[in-house]
Amino acid sequence: MDALETRELRYFVAVAEELHFGRAAERLGMAQPPLSRAIQQLERRLGVRLLKRNRRGVSLTGAGEMLLHEGRAALDATTAAARRTRRAGGADGPGGTRNRLVLAVKAGASHELLHKLLDAYGTEPDAAEVEVLPSGTCEQEGMLRDGRADVALMHAPFNSLAGFDSEELMTEGQIAVLPAGHPLASQRTLSVAEVSDIPDLPLARWSRHGTYPPGPGPEIHDQTQLAQLIALGRTVAVYPDSARAWLWAEHTAVPLTDAPPVVTHIAWPAHSTSPALAALIRTATGL
């Protein structure tokens, strides 16, 4: 049989991510023996080995790597279907609210564009309620895939638009955000190399797909933390030029001469048929 059950995919993805049956069983809230049997049964049904088991532990075969990739996408799709269905059904019950769209945005970016979009869309007849969901770097992709968001403002080259429909909205340069009292804050421009190698001011590190890039800079969890650490002279950050809107008096923005331009897109799931979402996209592209 070619069909796979959601339960089987959840079991396999847990084992493939943990590479340890005991930890996977604990994560799933079940005993290890039935989990092992379920994975063996899945391998027999598919007719391929998914895992290599030996004394050193568990590793993925080529087929296992493929199922991990496809399984994650499938589980995200089923979760997204449930989340978006609940949002769409919110207006159906007695006293239900109007339709609601969740818009994922990178915290601190495209501030002016976002204001214009929300104001313009709010004047549309039968406009849906828009919930703005701030995120960290590159989190918008995952929010769209698993249904936490219906639409997102994405920034190339930092975000991947693969698998989404999108429209380009604006292009801008990049800036270094430094403590106002730092010697480099007086420069008219800086290069990426200069900002990347400041001995007393390491680059801030945002989580990308659940992991932090290596480096001495602080791990950043939210926009307020970043703003405070910059003001205290503990880090520097690189942002699109539109981030000037959230800077404090203790910050200075210096343009980067050789950073690639940042292109802001509005992106949404390719299969979407939501009239409310279509109206929001029309408003965005008409700004």
Side-chain angles (χ1 to χ4, degrees), residues 198-199 201-203 205 213-219 234:
I198 306 174
L201 210 61
L203 273 169
R205 294 182 295 140
E219 294 182 355
R234 300 301 178 90

Side-chain angles (χ1 to χ4, degrees), residues 5 23 46 52 90 95 97 116 141 160 168 180 185 206 250 274:
E5 298 179 5
R23 289 194 299 268
L46 292 176
K52 298 176 185 176
T97 59
K116 289 180 178 178
E141 302 164 41
S160 170
E168 182 178 324
W206 284 96
E250 296 92 339
S274 165

